Amino acid sequence: MSLQDKKRFEPAEVEPRITERWLASGLFHPEPEGSPQENYSIAIPPPNVTGALHMGHALNGSVQDTLIRYHRMLGRRTKWILGTDHAGIATQKQVERAIEAEGATREQLGRAAFVERVWEWRTRYGGTIIEQFKRLGASCDYEQERFTLDDGYARAVLRVFCDLHAKGLIYRDNYLVNWDPGSRSAISDLEVEDREVTDTLYHIAYPLKGGGEVVVATVRPETMLADTAIAVNPGDERYQHLVGSTAILPLVGRELPIIADDYVKTDFGTGCLKITPGHDPNDFEIGRRHGLEEVTVIGEDGRMTEEAGAFAGLTVLEARGRVVEALGDALRASEPYVHEVPYSHRSGERIEPLISLQWFMDMEPLAEPAIDAVRDGRVRIHPESQSRRYLDWLQNIRPWCISRQLWWGHQLPVWYRAGETYVGTTAPEGDGWERDPDVLDTWFSSALWPFATLGWPDDTPDLRAFYPTDVLSTARDILFLWVARMVMMGLEFAGDVPFTDVYVHSVIQAPDGRRMSKSLGTGIDPLDEIDRHGADAVRFGLLAMSSTQDVKYSSEKVQQGQQLANKLFNASRFVLGNVTADVEPAPRPRTVEDRWILSRLQRIVGDTRSRIEAYEFAKVALGLYDFVYGELCDWYLELIKGRDFDEDLSATLLHVLGQTLALAHPVIPFVTEELWDHVPATDGLLAGGAYPEAKDGLVDADAEQRVGAVIAAVSALRSWRSESGVKPGERLQARLAAEGYEETAPLVAKLARLDLAGGDGAPASAVVPVPGGAVELLGDVVDPRDAERKRDAERERLRGEIARAEGKLANEGFVARAPAELVEAERTKLERLRAELELL
RNA sequence: GGGCGGUUAGCUCAGCUGGUCAGAGCGCCUGCCUUACAAGCAGGAGGUCCCCGGUUCGAGCCCGGGACCGCCCACCA
């Protein structure tokens, strides 16, 4: 209650106190009642359990919390489903590093002990990011935190796996996969990124069995040891006669059939392609088409296998050099070659395509309903342009490799014995069964997030109350990895779409436009920013800079948010320090400026509501800023200074202040909650209060027009004063020679520091045009010559504008074809300009 | 190789269905300790709205072409 002692808002002091009150209130934890249609829910994109809050989380958290708080204030039972993801590779890597630092390896530790260590790790660090979300002010349901690896969740995952397997959509196959030597695991296509590298393109001659030779080009000569064919284009006249004959693989001696396949480009290289089904995705496809043998010479450890004969045991790079060396005369040429090569998104190492026995999921049957859901609008993606990317991806979907050679994750519910395979949620009866050591791709379990968190497969109250959820907010790169898969799984298992709206937010880049990343040193820690500027400022800033495309981080926007919080704080001090105690907040306008601010308030209320619902968060934030600064503080509070703070004015002030705080609360919850506590007659927490509603009856065009004229007049007078070198504080004698100021003349006089009393026939030393006429300054306020020069300049400007307007109106095309009101407006403007010129 | 987005004040960005649309914040300059806020207030300077054509009475805003930047997708050895 020491509001008046402080001159500025201190987030560090206020935030912990407010957070505590929120958490204690139970507001964030709704009882599972009512229907999903009445209720409002968002499932948080689960952050990695051992992760730390980065800018992406902070932005997404701000977006979601704005939506959540808004709907909670609308009176809906609101749940923000919270939890973390076990994040297979990322978490395992962290713990592996820790173990390596102790001089051990996970293999030495053994699987059980290792997994134990990861759980310990999770216990120790898993709470960090949750606490960081609290710092941001995120009003998640902290009483019900889920984890993708907790028992109930794991049950859902295994259930889905078994179910899809029973339906024939999950199967095991030998297939060429993206092998990540860094994590020693297969990874999915989506976890691969292309990087441009400079390799060497080698031209190698393969002798033909009956004499002669063909020359092929390759950047990976070491893989030739696994060649099983040579291919040419069927239409290539140079080689048609060779199709069906046989080449001899140098160094190995294997006989290679020469085959014809459309894939081969006649205009690239020599037009002859060596086919290595075991180590190249294209060759693999060709090999399957032609029934070729699949030879593997590179192992999962990235070294050459026994199959590579003399090269066995060498790394790929060592083998490449030795093979080139051994080729001798057969090597015909080599040249530098720049091309894109796949790298692991996870480990950063170059992908080694390998044939391996993995579990796959057939996506096409599930993709169909997911496509329909977006096509028919059951799921709406914002901005709309993103839905095309979603559809394109689903329409070209490919099987998903879901097994990972990791220890941390959901181990496959699959057991083998001799030639048998058993799939089930519990271990099979009998001896000798061995469980598949692999775990599921993390995204497999994430795909169940919106319903598994609510208790599925059981028919729980939570599920009945909150599924489907309302909005899923995420960054663009997650659209395929996660969003599309959630839609598929939701439709297949929970019987409905998992959410009705998807909001795709910006990716925040470093201020210099590069990626924000820890390794580049371009990261900005949102917690540091919260320490510096306050959580409200960070939230405001992130929302204000967000857009439909990527944005550079702008600390100016965060500062703008800090200023807004501070401004509200001080405006509140002013209001609360002056109002009559014991008066109920209520709109009780007495004067034109009262009617004006109430009218403006209705507009910002309406605008803010529609902007939130349209996911236009930058406009929400900046619109609030403009209202608080541009209308409430700069004008209304200045206009009422000096008035008697009677009950009517006090009630109106408190009403406007309270409404403003409530309106801004979803964006800047801390400062508004803190101030709300000081507004009399406000019970309970603002977070649990009602969101303002626009009342048409308070919209007042007349007041807006009149006060609009005051604002224009005062601005013109201040500008004149400043340019004329007249001291801002000096009271000037003046005469108001303008229409429309019956009620507002004293307001103009107050803010422009004029004395409008009398003046009679005194000569004007300066004339300032204002809406509806002019203000004449009396007495020797300015050097007459300066004033005359100024008038000349003004005349010049006016003549220019008049000429422009006249020209426009003289244009027959304009008068004939432009809308009538526009032409009329131009005429009015011309008249006004002429009148102003006349006055000078 | 396809597809998408961008290019507006020194910086970061707004500008809806073509007609006060040339704006905001920051920065800069000038003046003010005006009793809510000096992390404040008031005023101001600053832009051939990437280039070239076109449509239109009228174009940052629409159409065509070009330049540059960024992103996504794709199996050219």
Side-chain angles (χ1 to χ4, degrees):
Chain A
M1 197 60 233
S2 52
L3 212 54
Q4 302 302 335
D5 301 342
K6 295 182 193 129
K7 285 193 158 189
R8 49 174 198 254
F9 178 62
E10 288 168 16
E13 185 271 322
V14 171
E15 288 171 8
R17 198 152 39 72
I18 297 290
T19 302
E20 206 165 303
R21 290 180 60 205
W22 283 336
L23 294 177
S25 73
L27 271 173
F28 299 170
H29 176 69
E31 290 309 314
E33 294 162 5
S35 71
Q37 287 71 42
E38 303 161 359
N39 301 339
Y40 187 85
S41 61
I42 294 179
I44 199 171
N48 289 1
V49 63
T50 62
L53 198 77
H54 61 236
M55 263 325 154
H57 294 128
L59 169 61
N60 201 192
S62 303
V63 164
Q64 292 170 86
D65 196 48
T66 297
L67 291 169
I68 285 282
R69 285 181 185 271
Y70 171 71
H71 285 94
R72 188 184 290 118
M73 291 177 79
L74 289 182
R76 295 177 72 176
R77 192 176 290 104
T78 300
K79 185 183 183 79
W80 188 357
I81 302 161
L82 177 69
T84 51
D85 193 292
H86 66 280
I89 295 176
T91 309
Q92 173 158 333
K93 278 244 150 205
Q94 279 194 34
V95 178
E96 275 176 4
R97 268 199 294 275
I99 290 171
E100 277 160 25
E102 298 164 10
T105 66
R106 76 172 150 115
E107 284 78 10
Q108 286 167 355
L109 220 58
R111 181 165 187 154
F114 178 80
V115 169
E116 185 66 24
R117 276 292 295 267
V118 185
W119 276 104
E120 281 171 28
W121 187 272
R122 185 248 172 183
T123 316
R124 185 146 14 128
Y125 300 109
T128 306
I129 196 155
I130 302 292
E131 290 309 308
Q132 292 173 329
F133 267 100
K134 287 181 187 165
R135 289 278 324 266
L136 190 67
S139 57
C140 310
D141 185 354
Y142 294 99
E143 290 175 42
Q144 228 176 49
E145 184 187 325
R146 299 304 304 266
F147 181 46
T148 52
L149 218 47
D150 64 29
D151 288 342
Y153 203 104
R155 202 159 56 89
V157 171
L158 299 190
R159 165 81 175 264
V160 165
F161 182 95
C162 294
D163 199 272
L164 289 172
H165 178 263
K167 289 173 181 159
L169 296 178
I170 283 181
Y171 55 92
R172 198 180 192 207
D173 194 11
N174 254 312
Y175 211 81
L176 195 80
V177 299
N178 304 302
W179 185 262
D180 174 12
S183 62
R184 292 274 195 98
S185 174
I187 62 177
S188 77
D189 295 339
L190 289 174
E191 291 167 306
V192 172
E193 63 181 10
D194 287 336
R195 291 189 202 164
E196 194 173 88
V197 300
T198 304
D199 277 331
T200 305
L201 186 64
Y202 300 92
H203 294 258
I204 303 168
Y206 286 28
L208 292 170
K209 197 174 181 186
E213 62 178 34
V214 291
V215 177
V216 300
T218 180
V219 293
R220 303 200 57 190
E222 72 280 9
T223 64
M224 71 181 285
L225 303 171
D227 284 0
T228 55
I230 299 282
V232 299
N233 189 287
D236 193 336
E237 289 171 7
R238 293 171 295 172
Y239 302 115
Q240 245 165 14
H241 65 286
L242 293 178
V243 175
S245 60
T246 305
I248 306 295
L249 180 58
L251 307 181
V252 178
R254 185 183 302 128
E255 296 198 349
L256 307 177
I258 297 181
I259 60 173
D261 194 287
D262 283 331
Y263 170 77
V264 184
K265 304 283 183 292
T266 55
D267 56 355
F268 191 92
T270 60
C272 287
L273 180 62
K274 73 193 230 357
I275 302 300
T276 320
H279 297 291
D280 182 276
N282 305 311
D283 294 6
F284 180 80
E285 298 290 337
I286 294 169
R288 287 270 160 122
R289 274 203 287 278
H290 295 269
L292 298 177
E293 197 188 342
E294 292 163 1
V295 176
T296 297
V297 293
I298 300 169
E300 296 182 345
D301 55 0
R303 289 177 180 274
M304 305 307 283
T305 62
E306 293 304 314
E307 196 75 33
F311 305 96
L314 298 177
T315 67
V316 167
L317 278 179
E318 289 165 351
R320 182 174 305 167
R322 301 278 284 276
V323 165
V324 169
E325 219 169 278
L327 280 170
D329 287 348
L331 181 68
R332 292 299 156 82
S334 64
E335 55 188 302
Y337 183 68
V338 178
H339 64 151
E340 305 239 305
V341 174
Y343 275 78
S344 165
H345 211 79
R346 295 291 178 185
S347 69
E349 293 200 23
R350 190 161 168 167
I351 293 298
E352 189 61 67
L354 289 185
I355 291 178
S356 106
L357 189 57
Q358 301 283 347
W359 287 88
F360 291 87
M361 182 169 157
D362 186 9
M363 303 291 275
E364 273 183 52
L366 298 178
E368 279 305 319
I371 289 170
D372 294 342
V374 167
R375 279 227 180 103
D376 64 26
R378 275 175 295 145
V379 173
R380 294 178 292 266
I381 301 179
H382 315 269
E384 166 65 29
S385 59
Q386 296 296 331
S387 58
R388 226 187 88 187
R389 295 182 56 236
Y390 170 98
L391 292 171
D392 282 350
W393 186 75
L394 283 176
Q395 278 154 5
N396 298 303
I397 199 151
R398 299 195 297 179
W400 173 19
C401 174
I402 53 173
S403 46
R404 295 288 179 278
Q405 289 64 56
L406 303 174
W407 286 352
W408 177 243
H410 298 276
Q411 192 172 353
L412 301 187
V414 178
W415 287 260
Y416 309 106
R417 181 171 68 182
E420 292 177 87
T421 299
Y422 174 86
V423 174
T425 50
T426 52
E429 303 284 321
D431 298 327
W433 289 101
E434 203 152 325
R435 188 166 182 178
D436 192 312
D438 288 356
V439 302
L440 286 163
D441 181 1
T442 301
W443 294 107
F444 186 93
S445 48
S446 314
L448 320 180
W449 185 250
F451 53 91
T453 48
L454 294 172
W456 188 92
D458 297 332
D459 179 22
T460 63
D462 272 326
L463 206 53
R464 285 196 298 271
F466 300 112
Y467 190 90
T469 66
D470 289 85
V471 176
L472 187 282
S473 174
T474 187
R476 237 192 3 241
D477 51 336
I478 308 299
L479 206 56
F480 311 143
L481 277 171
W482 192 44
V483 177
R485 287 166 179 172
M486 277 192 287
V487 176
M488 294 184 211
M489 295 296 209
L491 287 168
E492 181 72 12
F493 291 99
D496 202 345
V497 294
F499 30 71
T500 54
D501 292 85
V502 175
Y503 173 66
V504 181
H505 68 240
S506 303
V507 172
I508 304 210
Q509 300 167 328
D512 61 5
R514 290 189 294 167
R515 277 181 92 89
M516 221 184 241
S517 98
K518 216 178 272 180
S519 52
L520 284 174
T522 50
I524 295 176
D525 187 342
L527 275 304
D528 288 346
E529 289 289 272
I530 290 175
D531 287 340
R532 261 193 288 275
H533 305 287
D536 290 325
V538 170
R539 294 167 60 113
F540 177 96
L542 289 170
L543 293 177
M545 68 185 94
S546 75
S547 105
T548 54
Q549 62 178 75
D550 292 355
V551 292
K552 300 189 180 87
Y553 185 78
S554 153
S555 70
E556 287 83 10
K557 288 281 191 294
V558 173
Q559 281 167 33
Q560 203 178 341
Q562 186 174 5
Q563 286 172 346
L564 175 62
N566 198 52
K567 197 72 174 174
L568 271 179
F569 181 81
N570 278 299
S572 300
R573 286 175 59 217
F574 174 70
V575 169
L576 297 171
N578 284 293
V579 291
T580 311
D582 305 327
V583 60
E584 285 282 323
R588 288 162 66 176
R590 285 277 294 273
T591 65
V592 64
E593 70 266 25
D594 294 344
R595 291 190 283 121
W596 176 78
I597 193 63
L598 288 167
S599 183
R600 299 306 303 169
L601 178 64
Q602 307 320 306
R603 295 191 192 276
I604 188 64
V605 167
D607 286 349
T608 302
R609 279 176 167 249
S610 59
R611 286 164 179 166
I612 292 176
E613 283 169 21
Y615 305 97
E616 295 178 328
F617 297 104
K619 287 185 182 171
V620 170
L622 295 171
L624 287 167
Y625 180 93
D626 287 343
F627 174 74
V628 171
Y629 264 75
E631 300 187 331
L632 182 58
C633 293
D634 287 351
W635 295 105
Y636 185 63
L637 295 186
E638 294 302 324
L639 285 168
I640 60 162
K641 277 181 182 172
R643 262 173 74 180
D644 175 20
F645 282 68
D646 59 18
E647 288 201 1
D648 285 337
L649 178 56
S650 296
T652 301
L653 267 173
L654 290 172
H655 171 78
V656 172
L657 177 64
Q659 293 273 290
T660 302
L661 294 176
L663 192 67
H665 183 260
V667 175
I668 45 174
F670 288 103
V671 68
T672 50
E673 188 72 80
E674 167 74 359
L675 294 170
W676 181 256
D677 199 31
H678 293 89
V679 177
T682 52
D683 292 332
L685 289 163
L686 179 54
Y691 206 69
E693 259 176 272
K695 297 199 175 59
D696 291 345
L698 289 173
V699 173
D700 190 330
D702 177 68
E704 294 208 20
Q705 193 275 322
R706 285 176 195 277
V707 176
V710 170
I711 290 170
V714 170
S715 299
L717 286 158
R718 281 172 177 165
S719 180
W720 170 84
R721 195 190 275 264
S722 175
E723 281 169 14
S724 305
V726 179
K727 286 219 157 54
E730 192 181 335
R731 280 200 99 67
L732 298 178
Q733 294 289 322
R735 186 162 51 223
L736 187 54
E739 301 292 318
Y741 294 87
E742 296 76 19
E743 294 174 73
T744 56
L747 299 176
V748 175
K750 175 165 63 184
L751 294 191
R753 307 204 173 215
L754 301 179
D755 191 348
L756 290 174
D760 298 340
S765 62
V767 175
V768 179
V770 298
V775 171
E776 299 170 353
L777 284 310
L778 310 177
D780 301 330
V781 286
V782 289
D783 181 333
R785 280 159 61 188
D786 271 356
E788 190 49 39
R789 247 200 305 282
K790 206 176 272 299
R791 265 196 289 259
D792 277 344
E794 181 62 11
R795 280 193 199 100
E796 203 51 43
R797 187 187 70 81
L798 284 171
R799 284 195 194 101
E801 288 221 25
I802 287 169
R804 204 170 305 139
E806 283 173 344
K808 213 167 179 182
L809 288 166
N811 182 335
E812 284 175 31
F814 176 72
V815 178
R817 312 181 71 159
E821 65 265 28
L822 207 80
V823 177
E824 196 45 47
E826 199 61 35
R827 290 213 171 94
T828 315
K829 181 180 170 185
L830 181 59
E831 280 169 32
R832 202 193 72 224
L833 291 169
R834 281 178 175 148
E836 278 184 28
L837 186 62
E838 197 64 26
L839 271 167
L840 287 170

PDB file of all heavy atoms in Angstrom, chain A residues 798-812:
ATOM      1  N   LEU A 798       0.244  26.905 -47.809  1.00  0.00           N
ATOM      2  CA  LEU A 798      -1.184  26.823 -48.079  1.00  0.00           C
ATOM      3  C   LEU A 798      -1.474  26.967 -49.563  1.00  0.00           C
ATOM      4  O   LEU A 798      -2.279  26.227 -50.127  1.00  0.00           O
ATOM      5  CB  LEU A 798      -1.940  27.905 -47.296  1.00  0.00           C
ATOM      6  CG  LEU A 798      -2.116  27.614 -45.798  1.00  0.00           C
ATOM      7  CD1 LEU A 798      -2.679  28.836 -45.084  1.00  0.00           C
ATOM      8  CD2 LEU A 798      -3.033  26.420 -45.584  1.00  0.00           C
ATOM      9  N   ARG A 799      -0.784  27.882 -50.217  1.00  0.00           N
ATOM     10  CA  ARG A 799      -1.008  28.069 -51.650  1.00  0.00           C
ATOM     11  C   ARG A 799      -0.667  26.793 -52.407  1.00  0.00           C
ATOM     12  O   ARG A 799      -1.361  26.405 -53.336  1.00  0.00           O
ATOM     13  CB  ARG A 799      -0.165  29.242 -52.178  1.00  0.00           C
ATOM     14  CG  ARG A 799      -0.751  30.592 -51.781  1.00  0.00           C
ATOM     15  CD  ARG A 799      -0.159  31.733 -52.592  1.00  0.00           C
ATOM     16  NE  ARG A 799      -0.493  33.009 -51.956  1.00  0.00           N
ATOM     17  CZ  ARG A 799       0.355  33.707 -51.189  1.00  0.00           C
ATOM     18  NH1 ARG A 799       1.595  33.277 -51.013  1.00  0.00           N
ATOM     19  NH2 ARG A 799      -0.030  34.834 -50.638  1.00  0.00           N
ATOM     20  N   GLY A 800       0.394  26.170 -51.978  1.00  0.00           N
ATOM     21  CA  GLY A 800       0.778  24.909 -52.621  1.00  0.00           C
ATOM     22  C   GLY A 800      -0.321  23.868 -52.485  1.00  0.00           C
ATOM     23  O   GLY A 800      -0.720  23.224 -53.468  1.00  0.00           O
ATOM     24  N   GLU A 801      -0.830  23.739 -51.274  1.00  0.00           N
ATOM     25  CA  GLU A 801      -1.882  22.740 -51.037  1.00  0.00           C
ATOM     26  C   GLU A 801      -3.146  23.087 -51.786  1.00  0.00           C
ATOM     27  O   GLU A 801      -3.845  22.207 -52.303  1.00  0.00           O
ATOM     28  CB  GLU A 801      -2.167  22.641 -49.532  1.00  0.00           C
ATOM     29  CG  GLU A 801      -1.046  21.958 -48.781  1.00  0.00           C
ATOM     30  CD  GLU A 801      -1.580  21.019 -47.720  1.00  0.00           C
ATOM     31  OE1 GLU A 801      -2.727  20.549 -47.871  1.00  0.00           O
ATOM     32  OE2 GLU A 801      -0.836  20.769 -46.752  1.00  0.00           O
ATOM     33  N   ILE A 802      -3.444  24.383 -51.827  1.00  0.00           N
ATOM     34  CA  ILE A 802      -4.644  24.817 -52.551  1.00  0.00           C
ATOM     35  C   ILE A 802      -4.495  24.483 -54.035  1.00  0.00           C
ATOM     36  O   ILE A 802      -5.408  23.950 -54.665  1.00  0.00           O
ATOM     37  CB  ILE A 802      -4.881  26.328 -52.347  1.00  0.00           C
ATOM     38  CG1 ILE A 802      -5.384  26.575 -50.913  1.00  0.00           C
ATOM     39  CG2 ILE A 802      -5.894  26.856 -53.358  1.00  0.00           C
ATOM     40  CD1 ILE A 802      -5.410  28.031 -50.504  1.00  0.00           C
ATOM     41  N   ALA A 803      -3.325  24.751 -54.549  1.00  0.00           N
ATOM     42  CA  ALA A 803      -3.094  24.452 -55.962  1.00  0.00           C
ATOM     43  C   ALA A 803      -3.286  22.964 -56.228  1.00  0.00           C
ATOM     44  O   ALA A 803      -3.897  22.558 -57.219  1.00  0.00           O
ATOM     45  CB  ALA A 803      -1.680  24.878 -56.358  1.00  0.00           C
ATOM     46  N   ARG A 804      -2.784  22.150 -55.300  1.00  0.00           N
ATOM     47  CA  ARG A 804      -2.901  20.711 -55.473  1.00  0.00           C
ATOM     48  C   ARG A 804      -4.383  20.295 -55.466  1.00  0.00           C
ATOM     49  O   ARG A 804      -4.839  19.542 -56.323  1.00  0.00           O
ATOM     50  CB  ARG A 804      -2.154  19.988 -54.356  1.00  0.00           C
ATOM     51  CG  ARG A 804      -1.734  18.584 -54.720  1.00  0.00           C
ATOM     52  CD  ARG A 804      -0.794  18.018 -53.676  1.00  0.00           C
ATOM     53  NE  ARG A 804       0.375  18.884 -53.460  1.00  0.00           N
ATOM     54  CZ  ARG A 804       0.907  19.146 -52.267  1.00  0.00           C
ATOM     55  NH1 ARG A 804       0.386  18.635 -51.185  1.00  0.00           N
ATOM     56  NH2 ARG A 804       1.958  19.927 -52.159  1.00  0.00           N
ATOM     57  N   ALA A 805      -5.112  20.839 -54.504  1.00  0.00           N
ATOM     58  CA  ALA A 805      -6.532  20.497 -54.400  1.00  0.00           C
ATOM     59  C   ALA A 805      -7.301  20.993 -55.617  1.00  0.00           C
ATOM     60  O   ALA A 805      -8.153  20.285 -56.161  1.00  0.00           O
ATOM     61  CB  ALA A 805      -7.116  21.094 -53.124  1.00  0.00           C
ATOM     62  N   GLU A 806      -6.970  22.187 -56.052  1.00  0.00           N
ATOM     63  CA  GLU A 806      -7.650  22.724 -57.233  1.00  0.00           C
ATOM     64  C   GLU A 806      -7.361  21.868 -58.456  1.00  0.00           C
ATOM     65  O   GLU A 806      -8.252  21.576 -59.253  1.00  0.00           O
ATOM     66  CB  GLU A 806      -7.200  24.171 -57.484  1.00  0.00           C
ATOM     67  CG  GLU A 806      -7.858  25.152 -56.535  1.00  0.00           C
ATOM     68  CD  GLU A 806      -7.298  26.569 -56.661  1.00  0.00           C
ATOM     69  OE1 GLU A 806      -6.195  26.720 -57.266  1.00  0.00           O
ATOM     70  OE2 GLU A 806      -7.950  27.491 -56.174  1.00  0.00           O
ATOM     71  N   GLY A 807      -6.116  21.471 -58.556  1.00  0.00           N
ATOM     72  CA  GLY A 807      -5.734  20.636 -59.685  1.00  0.00           C
ATOM     73  C   GLY A 807      -6.526  19.332 -59.693  1.00  0.00           C
ATOM     74  O   GLY A 807      -7.033  18.881 -60.723  1.00  0.00           O
ATOM     75  N   LYS A 808      -6.639  18.765 -58.510  1.00  0.00           N
ATOM     76  CA  LYS A 808      -7.354  17.497 -58.388  1.00  0.00           C
ATOM     77  C   LYS A 808      -8.818  17.667 -58.805  1.00  0.00           C
ATOM     78  O   LYS A 808      -9.371  16.861 -59.553  1.00  0.00           O
ATOM     79  CB  LYS A 808      -7.287  17.028 -56.938  1.00  0.00           C
ATOM     80  CG  LYS A 808      -7.246  15.530 -56.780  1.00  0.00           C
ATOM     81  CD  LYS A 808      -6.864  15.156 -55.364  1.00  0.00           C
ATOM     82  CE  LYS A 808      -6.845  13.648 -55.202  1.00  0.00           C
ATOM     83  NZ  LYS A 808      -6.531  13.254 -53.822  1.00  0.00           N
ATOM     84  N   LEU A 809      -9.414  18.779 -58.342  1.00  0.00           N
ATOM     85  CA  LEU A 809     -10.825  19.005 -58.643  1.00  0.00           C
ATOM     86  C   LEU A 809     -11.033  19.433 -60.095  1.00  0.00           C
ATOM     87  O   LEU A 809     -12.125  19.273 -60.639  1.00  0.00           O
ATOM     88  CB  LEU A 809     -11.401  20.060 -57.696  1.00  0.00           C
ATOM     89  CG  LEU A 809     -11.584  19.533 -56.261  1.00  0.00           C
ATOM     90  CD1 LEU A 809     -11.825  20.676 -55.293  1.00  0.00           C
ATOM     91  CD2 LEU A 809     -12.734  18.532 -56.201  1.00  0.00           C
ATOM     92  N   ALA A 810      -9.976  19.957 -60.700  1.00  0.00           N
ATOM     93  CA  ALA A 810     -10.089  20.351 -62.110  1.00  0.00           C
ATOM     94  C   ALA A 810     -10.000  19.132 -63.011  1.00  0.00           C
ATOM     95  O   ALA A 810     -10.406  19.158 -64.168  1.00  0.00           O
ATOM     96  CB  ALA A 810      -8.985  21.353 -62.456  1.00  0.00           C
ATOM     97  N   ASN A 811      -9.484  18.053 -62.461  1.00  0.00           N
ATOM     98  CA  ASN A 811      -9.355  16.818 -63.229  1.00  0.00           C
ATOM     99  C   ASN A 811     -10.736  16.174 -63.404  1.00  0.00           C
ATOM    100  O   ASN A 811     -11.360  15.724 -62.464  1.00  0.00           O
ATOM    101  CB  ASN A 811      -8.430  15.867 -62.466  1.00  0.00           C
ATOM    102  CG  ASN A 811      -8.205  14.579 -63.229  1.00  0.00           C
ATOM    103  OD1 ASN A 811      -9.033  14.179 -64.051  1.00  0.00           O
ATOM    104  ND2 ASN A 811      -7.090  13.937 -62.959  1.00  0.00           N
ATOM    105  N   GLU A 812     -11.209  16.188 -64.653  1.00  0.00           N
ATOM    106  CA  GLU A 812     -12.556  15.673 -64.907  1.00  0.00           C
ATOM    107  C   GLU A 812     -12.686  14.212 -64.519  1.00  0.00           C
ATOM    108  O   GLU A 812     -13.708  13.771 -64.011  1.00  0.00           O
ATOM    109  CB  GLU A 812     -12.909  15.837 -66.386  1.00  0.00           C
ATOM    110  CG  GLU A 812     -13.258  17.267 -66.757  1.00  0.00           C
ATOM    111  CD  GLU A 812     -13.491  17.403 -68.244  1.00  0.00           C
ATOM    112  OE1 GLU A 812     -13.959  16.425 -68.862  1.00  0.00           O
ATOM    113  OE2 GLU A 812     -13.179  18.481 -68.783  1.00  0.00           O
TER     114      GLU A 812
END
